[in-house]
Amino acid sequence: MSTSADQTPATTDLVTVTIDGIETHVEQGTLIIRAAEQIGIEIPRFCDHPLLKPAGACRQCLVDVASPGPDGNLRAFPKPQASCTMPVTEGMVVNTQNTSEEAERAQKGVMELLLINHPLDCPVCDKGGECPLQNQAMSHGRGESRFVDVKRVFEKPLALSSEILLDRERCILCQRCTRFSQEIAGDAFIDLQNRGAMQQIGTFNEDVLGFDGYGPVGAAAEDETGNAFSSYYSGNTIQICPVGALTSASYRFRSRPFDLVSSPGISEHDSSGSAIRTDHRRGKILRRLADNDPVVNEEWVTDKDRFAFAWQNLADRITQPLVRKDGELVEASWPEALAAAAAGLTAAIGKTGTPADKKAKGVGVLPGGRVTLEDAYAYAKFARLVLDTNDVDARTRWSSDEEQAFLGASVAGTGLGVTFAELEKAPTVLLVGFEPEDEGGVVFLRLKKSAGRQKVFTVASHLSRGPEKLGATLLPAVPGHEASVVASLKGAKAAYKDLRAPGSIIVVGERAAASPGTLTAVEALAKRAKARVAWIPRRAGERGAVEAGALPGLLPGGRDAAVTAARNAVAKAWGASSLPNTKGRDADAIIAAASAKALDALVIGGVDDSDLTEDLLKAITNAKFTVSLEVRRTAVADAADVVLPVAPPSEKSGTFVNWEGRLRAFGTAIHTDAMSDHRVLDLLARQLGTDLGTATVDAINAELASLGAAATSHRPKAPAEPTPAAPKKSGGTDGELVLATWHQLVDEGALQDGEPYLAGTGRMAVARVSPATAEALGLHGVITVTAKRRGAIDVPVAVTEGMVDNVVWLPTKSPGSWVAQQLGVQPGDTVVVKGAAS
Amino acid sequence: MTDHREESHEAFTSNLPQPGGIAGALMPVAGFGVTLRNFFRPTVTEQYPTTPANVQPRYHGRHQLNRYADGLEKCIGCELCAWACPADAIYVEGDSNTPDAQFSPGERYGRVYQINYLRCIFCGLCIEACPTRALTMTNEFEMAGPTREGLIYEKHDLLAPMEEGMLAAPHPMAPGTTDTEYYTGDVLRTTPEQEAWVRAHRPDDETLPENQPVREGHIPHSEQSGPGTPTPLGAKRFINGTGGGI
């Protein structure tokens, strides 16, 4: 939306070039192949990709080129040139296959050579039907092969990881995958090996390839899983492969391109709002691909966006409402279930008209962080208007009041803030409580694009692989005390000096809420350094929930629920006389209150109890009544009294608000009779005697538009949390360490269920400690981490150089390490670590 | 008015030659000559359905999914037949062969194979498209039934019956072969290794030699289809796919 003058291309550096007799003017440095594209001439190509550096590997784009020599006379190059590597020069004359027989002959020759070793297995190849090589061979190739010898064969397929399969016979060595891995993802785990006919793509793993003395010289890069091609972005190599050499295990042989109906959509997996394409066949999703959206995800998505969709249609999908009868959940009709839900909620809010009303203690609402903007708005409105409470919180993660004030003051209703493009261009980026790769997904790819040109600082316990690939500088912080590190950035500190460069950005993650004072310190630092702040949460619905007011202290548009004028403005728009003015409880407090029987009922959306440190199942048991709006038969749904089925993202339309504040609307991919949360809440409200007006996406968007953003006086005040004292150097002799933890991108989150191939690419769960801590506590092999309550986590220890002492890092929800459920602690809390009993 | 009618009412005179004598006398019953002549010629009238219909060898009848000589399926689930079908009558889903369940030579096999005979127009474009000659057409044409479901033939309805030397899939490929050897016809029957594998994994398999009824010469393979596979309508009536009939 920024249309500043600096984005207008300079018009002074144009060069004149003639392609196929058509004279055109293009910017200096433009490749011939791009200049031809601009005037609608297509030159065949395989290795060329607009987002990758030129390679000239496949030679398919050969054209005849002539350019003026020193004497000004046109001199033709003696042989055809690769148009994907040669920039245009003034006065150049290019003749493509359309006008030059020489170029056409060269291209046909290259095509014939490419097909020499290419197997004739198109009928079994997943790329068959959408294969550039197949298309080009059909349109430009020979009808009959002249090749009579035996083709080179390889073992097929070679599993680069549990998800990515490599068929080396089909490979035409265009190097798109290796260039993507090196340039875009920074995971250079695959590369070209050997020479001549035996040249092939492979991982640096001698056991797999059998190098025969052709092994790589350098040390092989391997992560802790021992799996060489372990990248969060590996799925993109499949999509850009111009042949069927790279395929995915999950889509292998599942269907053919002409079976599929493609629907554009937005990924539900993270707050980036990546554009995706959902390919489905007869109502079943078969694969997802990255869509091209230059302002957000360019042409890349994470493997989670691409492969994690099976959860929507597992066997435990709920299709009919369920009502508890005689202690058992049984299927019921919609009218019956709505009546049962309404009866339970009426009793809980004290509107039955009986003496029991006086004892009614109200309802708490937990929408969960995966809702769309419309769903979050419906939950927020349902809580305030129907249930007459502010006890609504979509943040089913570590959160705080300080965070809510920060979100209300600086995030909600601010529209498009820091963008991907600005993040890419920023001279300095400071990451606070944010892991670009694990928690950001495609955010990392944008930062990686500027690696080397951009200074990156990260406030964390150690340099994880993401920041390491960005060449980031670690500002070591003990978890829970990030605030003091951020506050100390001033004066002559190098990080502060760099941060003062105009356009610098401070990225703060959702984990900052678990560290008191951090968001306050970030705001202060941003003011000091004149830097901008971007809040990047993990889940797709977080920003939308903030905008829609699905937080206890926030009303739609960033209005403070404690400000009377703000409440009245919203009440007027909603046609209500007033809105509840009690202070709302946050998610943890709602669960604690229900557990302590201080709340009568709960309305729960897509919340996974294992993500919470509080015991949600106990709260449901103790609450008199629980309504669950769920896609699947989760533990929460199993414990509820009424379960109303709702649509998964592929079966509904709506809007995710990404971390930039950009509205990412998506349509229904697969039309079923499943209803979105907002529609179900509208029906439920109607049953309770209120017209919620959230039946359709259009109605909600019209309401949201008419409400608009809050006036400054209606907003909450920016947080003013005191910066906590620097961490005391606690002993560590008794094994007490401070916990650092975050979610790895591919882990055991609820939305990654049912996809074993993807799970296999995730990183192994390890506990990280500094060398000094490992030595002091004698940690080696498998260690046991316990906290004050609940279970213990046994994971192998990985001693990490440069890590803060007396801190142990665990992945939040990786196999064998479910921190919230097993330990019941959050980052910054103390855990007890014991080495293997030896 | 009457004048006009009488004018047009002329007596009919044939312009054919008018034979005289005996020929002329027999003229009124000359037509029976054709009948009489055909009394002494072979009968061409078919007494269908009391006797089988005599269709041409390349008649486009019901489809058959063929097998290689060792019993592995030829279908690789490539869906080219479904792509070629102008009536959208074919539905295929492929899947990966695994070492534990090898249905066809190579990596891929057709897990789901359906032909909807309510849609099929028997044009034969599908069998032209088939890259492995897995799909051919038989002379069987008697396909009618009371239900819609019954006319959607599943893979087990369409698979060719087992012949001598075949073992029911899944079982491993013949040792030392690739899908190329199968395609070029170098695999002629099951090997002892394949039999041993089936014996180890499915000792009760009907197609194992020890489980088969005693053979007397060549018995038409129609008797060997397992009891578990429902026999499609009229399946007994086509044999070898060459010129039909009982």
Side-chain angles (χ1 to χ4, degrees):
Chain A
M1 297 198 180
S2 57
T3 50
S4 50
D6 61 341
Q7 291 189 340
T8 319
T11 49
T12 48
D13 297 339
L14 291 184
V15 292
T16 308
V17 56
T18 308
I19 304 174
D20 285 351
I22 303 169
E23 196 177 278
T24 180
H25 307 278
V26 294
E27 263 184 86
Q28 200 153 30
T30 308
L31 299 168
I32 296 174
I33 201 166
R34 300 270 168 282
E37 273 171 11
Q38 286 176 20
I39 53 171
I41 295 169
E42 202 191 323
I43 302 171
R45 85 287 304 266
F46 295 116
C47 70
D48 172 69
H49 192 285
L51 296 180
L52 300 175
K53 285 182 192 144
C58 73
R59 318 307 292 178
Q60 186 60 55
C61 63
L62 296 177
V63 290
D64 259 351
V65 181
S67 62
D71 54 355
N73 292 332
L74 210 58
R75 286 199 310 187
F77 280 71
K79 287 181 178 170
Q81 298 295 310
S83 60
C84 73
T85 51
M86 181 175 273
V88 292
T89 55
E90 182 62 41
M92 188 182 260
V93 175
V94 178
N95 288 305
T96 72
Q97 73 280 2
N98 298 330
T99 50
S100 159
E101 267 180 40
E102 180 69 11
E104 193 184 7
R105 209 174 57 80
Q107 289 180 7
K108 286 204 161 152
V110 169
M111 166 63 67
E112 194 171 9
L113 282 169
L114 286 177
L115 290 175
I116 277 181
N117 275 321
H118 193 82
L120 248 179
D121 62 353
C122 300
V124 295
C125 177
D126 275 338
K127 202 82 174 182
E130 56 178 6
C131 174
L133 181 65
Q134 195 181 31
N135 293 348
Q136 229 133 274
M138 295 290 279
S139 59
H140 293 94
R142 300 175 65 93
E144 291 274 321
S145 174
R146 291 191 291 175
F147 188 72
V148 290
D149 297 298
V150 179
K151 290 189 188 233
R152 172 208 57 192
V153 290
F154 284 117
E155 183 200 331
K156 61 201 281 183
L158 187 70
L160 296 182
S161 68
S162 59
E163 184 70 86
I164 312 295
L165 305 175
L166 170 66
D167 189 320
R168 288 166 288 169
E169 291 178 5
R170 295 179 188 150
C171 178
I172 56 165
L173 302 170
C174 72
Q175 301 174 47
R176 273 189 181 181
C177 55
T178 57
R179 281 183 290 150
F180 169 84
S181 298
Q182 280 154 17
E183 294 168 19
I184 309 290
D187 299 317
F189 290 126
I190 52 173
D191 211 338
L192 281 182
Q193 290 155 0
N194 291 358
R195 285 289 200 169
M198 293 309 286
Q199 195 170 39
Q200 56 184 285
I201 303 290
T203 59
F204 296 131
N205 187 338
E206 290 209 29
D207 302 336
V208 179
L209 278 175
F211 284 116
D212 246 8
Y214 286 102
V217 180
E222 267 191 13
D223 71 346
E224 278 86 357
T225 64
N227 196 343
F229 193 46
S230 168
S231 168
Y232 288 151
Y233 310 98
S234 58
N236 293 303
T237 59
I238 297 175
Q239 195 173 343
I240 59 174
C241 182
V243 295
L246 288 162
T247 54
S248 74
S250 64
Y251 179 67
R252 186 173 158 82
F253 303 159
R254 289 294 182 279
S255 79
R256 305 239 118 199
F258 48 86
D259 296 326
L260 300 171
V261 180
S262 299
S263 309
I266 299 297
S267 170
E268 77 272 28
H269 287 295
D270 60 34
S271 63
S272 294
S274 298
I276 53 164
R277 196 182 101 190
T278 304
D279 282 357
H280 48 98
R281 178 188 198 183
R282 301 196 175 199
K284 189 180 164 200
I285 306 174
L286 285 163
R287 64 172 177 182
R288 299 208 309 199
L289 300 171
D291 236 348
N292 183 9
D293 194 334
V295 294
V296 177
N297 58 313
E298 298 187 312
E299 289 183 40
W300 321 120
V301 292
T302 63
D303 282 1
K304 191 157 91 168
D305 292 337
R306 184 181 302 271
F307 296 121
F309 53 81
W311 69 274
Q312 307 181 17
N313 290 300
L314 291 178
D316 58 0
R317 171 82 188 269
I318 312 170
T319 51
Q320 275 287 309
L322 304 168
V323 174
R324 194 168 293 279
K325 287 176 186 164
D326 304 326
E328 286 288 314
L329 276 180
V330 290
E331 287 201 349
S333 66
W334 272 98
E336 187 187 347
L338 288 173
L345 293 179
T346 310
I349 54 176
K351 294 257 176 77
T352 55
T354 57
D357 284 355
K358 282 182 187 155
K359 288 184 193 160
K361 291 176 187 137
V363 186
V365 182
L366 299 171
R370 303 180 180 108
V371 286
T372 61
L373 172 68
E374 291 82 3
D375 291 339
Y377 180 76
Y379 277 108
K381 196 173 175 185
F382 185 77
R384 267 86 185 214
L385 216 53
V386 180
L387 304 176
D388 197 27
T389 178
N390 277 322
D391 293 347
V392 51
D393 195 352
R395 301 172 298 168
T396 44
R397 52 175 171 84
W398 302 305
S399 59
S400 65
D401 285 346
E402 181 197 3
E403 185 197 25
Q404 180 171 283
F406 165 77
L407 294 177
S410 317
V411 176
T414 53
L416 194 65
V418 175
T419 61
F420 273 105
E422 285 164 347
L423 198 59
E424 186 188 323
K425 280 192 210 134
T428 309
V429 175
L430 173 68
L431 310 171
V432 182
F434 177 73
E435 286 298 319
E437 208 183 29
D438 282 324
E439 298 174 308
V442 291
V443 176
F444 170 79
L445 296 185
R446 280 305 180 103
L447 294 173
K448 177 75 180 60
K449 242 177 132 180
S450 303
R453 281 174 277 139
Q454 188 174 54
K455 287 203 173 69
V456 181
F457 297 92
T458 176
V459 179
S461 58
H462 64 281
L463 263 193
S464 69
R465 216 175 94 195
E468 203 181 318
K469 284 191 285 184
L470 297 175
T473 310
L474 178 71
L475 304 175
V478 175
H481 295 89
E482 284 90 347
S484 54
V485 177
V486 174
S488 73
L489 293 179
K490 53 187 157 191
K493 284 234 174 158
Y496 179 65
K497 276 190 191 161
D498 286 328
L499 206 59
R500 290 189 56 170
S504 294
I505 290 164
I506 305 173
V507 176
V508 56
E510 65 178 33
R511 275 183 294 121
S515 171
T518 304
L519 289 162
T520 311
V522 164
E523 288 274 46
L525 174 64
K527 215 170 200 175
R528 241 185 353 258
K530 297 192 174 58
R532 299 175 71 193
V533 178
W535 179 67
I536 308 188
R538 243 169 28 87
R539 291 186 182 131
E542 296 275 1
R543 178 74 192 257
V546 170
E547 302 288 339
L551 264 58
L554 283 184
L555 294 171
R559 293 174 177 82
D560 190 350
V563 174
T564 316
R567 271 203 316 275
N568 288 343
V570 177
K572 196 178 160 202
W574 285 353
S577 53
S578 68
L579 293 185
N581 60 0
T582 48
K583 188 174 183 304
R585 298 178 174 99
D586 67 10
D588 282 355
I590 288 171
I591 296 167
S595 295
K597 307 200 173 186
L599 273 175
D600 272 349
L602 293 170
V603 175
I604 307 177
V607 180
D608 186 351
D609 62 288
S610 59
D611 287 341
L612 297 160
T613 48
E614 297 282 331
D615 193 345
L616 179 60
L617 295 182
K618 185 185 163 205
I620 295 172
T621 314
N622 283 0
K624 282 183 190 157
F625 190 74
T626 304
V627 181
S628 167
L629 284 78
E630 254 297 355
V631 175
R632 295 168 57 195
R633 188 94 183 237
T634 57
V636 170
D638 263 341
D641 296 291
V642 175
V643 184
L644 301 173
V646 291
S650 64
E651 293 173 29
K652 68 182 185 188
S653 53
T655 310
F656 285 124
V657 187
N658 78 352
W659 63 263
E660 302 170 276
R662 200 185 294 276
L663 297 177
R664 305 290 285 159
F666 60 94
T668 310
I670 299 171
H671 292 271
T672 64
D673 56 1
M675 290 186 280
S676 197
D677 297 44
H678 63 79
R679 173 108 178 93
V680 173
L681 288 172
D682 184 70
L683 292 174
L684 188 53
R686 206 163 289 195
Q687 191 80 31
L688 286 155
T690 310
D691 183 5
L692 204 58
T694 62
T696 64
V697 170
D698 287 347
I700 296 171
N701 285 330
E703 255 187 61
L704 274 167
S706 70
L707 270 166
T712 316
S713 60
H714 291 181
R715 284 181 177 278
K717 286 191 179 58
E721 194 91 2
T723 305
K728 54 184 186 297
K729 295 283 177 204
S730 67
T733 44
D734 49 353
E736 282 202 353
L737 299 179
V738 180
L739 177 73
T741 182
W742 58 75
H743 288 265
Q744 294 189 316
L745 187 82
V746 176
D747 61 3
E748 296 194 326
L751 301 195
Q752 295 169 67
D753 282 354
E755 190 46 72
Y757 304 113
L758 172 66
T761 68
R763 292 175 190 162
M764 209 168 73
V766 289
R768 296 188 181 276
V769 290
S770 70
T773 308
E775 184 145 338
L777 295 175
L779 302 177
H780 56 86
V782 176
I783 61 167
T784 304
V785 184
T786 50
K788 287 187 186 96
R789 57 202 165 94
R790 300 200 206 180
I793 290 175
D794 296 327
V795 282
V797 68
V799 177
T800 307
E801 291 291 334
M803 190 164 168
V804 186
D805 288 339
N806 297 324
V807 170
V808 59
W809 176 86
L810 287 173
T812 307
K813 211 180 177 187
S814 288
S817 176
W818 288 28
V819 168
Q821 191 176 50
Q822 288 176 298
L823 300 182
V825 291
Q826 62 179 35
D829 286 350
T830 307
V831 293
V832 179
V833 178
K834 284 201 175 68
S838 55
Chain B
M1 182 175 141
T2 48
D3 290 351
H4 174 70
R5 193 172 239 195
E6 277 162 14
E7 255 174 18
S8 65
H9 200 79
E10 285 173 23
F12 171 75
T13 47
S14 171
N15 54 1
L16 288 171
Q18 299 291 325
I22 297 175
L26 287 177
M27 270 297 282
V29 292
F32 289 112
V34 177
T35 311
L36 282 169
R37 253 200 322 277
N38 279 292
F39 279 164
F40 308 103
R41 285 187 176 172
T43 314
V44 293
T45 309
E46 293 181 19
Q47 296 304 313
Y48 179 83
T50 52
T51 61
N54 187 19
V55 295
Q56 293 300 304
R58 292 194 177 185
Y59 179 81
H60 282 182
R62 201 205 66 170
H63 299 81
Q64 171 170 280
L65 281 173
N66 298 311
R67 297 176 190 268
Y68 286 108
D70 67 349
L72 284 180
E73 295 161 11
K74 285 188 175 178
C75 176
I76 51 169
C78 72
E79 301 187 26
L80 289 185
C81 47
W83 202 358
C85 183
D88 198 12
I90 307 182
Y91 179 79
V92 187
E93 278 181 30
D95 211 338
S96 301
N97 280 318
T98 60
D100 293 334
Q102 180 95 35
F103 287 90
S104 70
E107 297 174 84
R108 178 171 177 150
Y109 79 103
R111 184 172 56 80
V112 176
Y113 198 99
Q114 296 176 345
I115 297 183
N116 184 344
Y117 281 107
L118 293 167
R119 287 186 169 189
C120 180
I121 56 171
F122 300 93
C123 65
L125 288 179
C126 48
I127 62 172
E128 278 183 44
C130 185
T132 59
R133 294 198 148 241
L135 192 69
T136 52
M137 290 175 117
T138 67
N139 294 349
E140 160 70 18
F141 63 88
E142 292 170 316
M143 281 169 291
T147 61
R148 183 179 169 277
E149 290 75 21
L151 281 164
I152 298 171
Y153 279 42
E154 298 278 351
K155 186 175 157 190
H156 57 76
D157 302 323
L158 296 165
L159 267 175
M162 304 298 292
E163 285 185 62
E164 198 181 349
M166 287 183 175
L167 265 177
H171 59 72
M173 291 160 68
T177 60
T178 64
D179 44 355
T180 311
E181 275 78 47
Y182 274 86
Y183 187 73
T184 51
D186 294 337
V187 177
L188 299 175
R189 58 165 299 125
T190 45
T191 60
E193 288 88 345
Q194 290 173 311
E195 276 179 23
W197 190 93
V198 174
R199 204 165 281 130
H201 289 80
R202 301 193 306 272
D204 297 333
D205 194 288
E206 296 265 333
T207 54
L208 279 171
E210 61 265 33
N211 295 341
Q212 284 180 7
V214 183
R215 288 167 176 278
E216 289 176 16
H218 178 75
I219 295 175
H221 40 237
S222 56
E223 286 185 12
Q224 291 155 36
S225 57
T229 53
T231 315
L233 202 67
K236 278 184 184 165
R237 245 172 286 167
F238 76 88
I239 296 163
N240 275 339
T242 54
I246 295 172

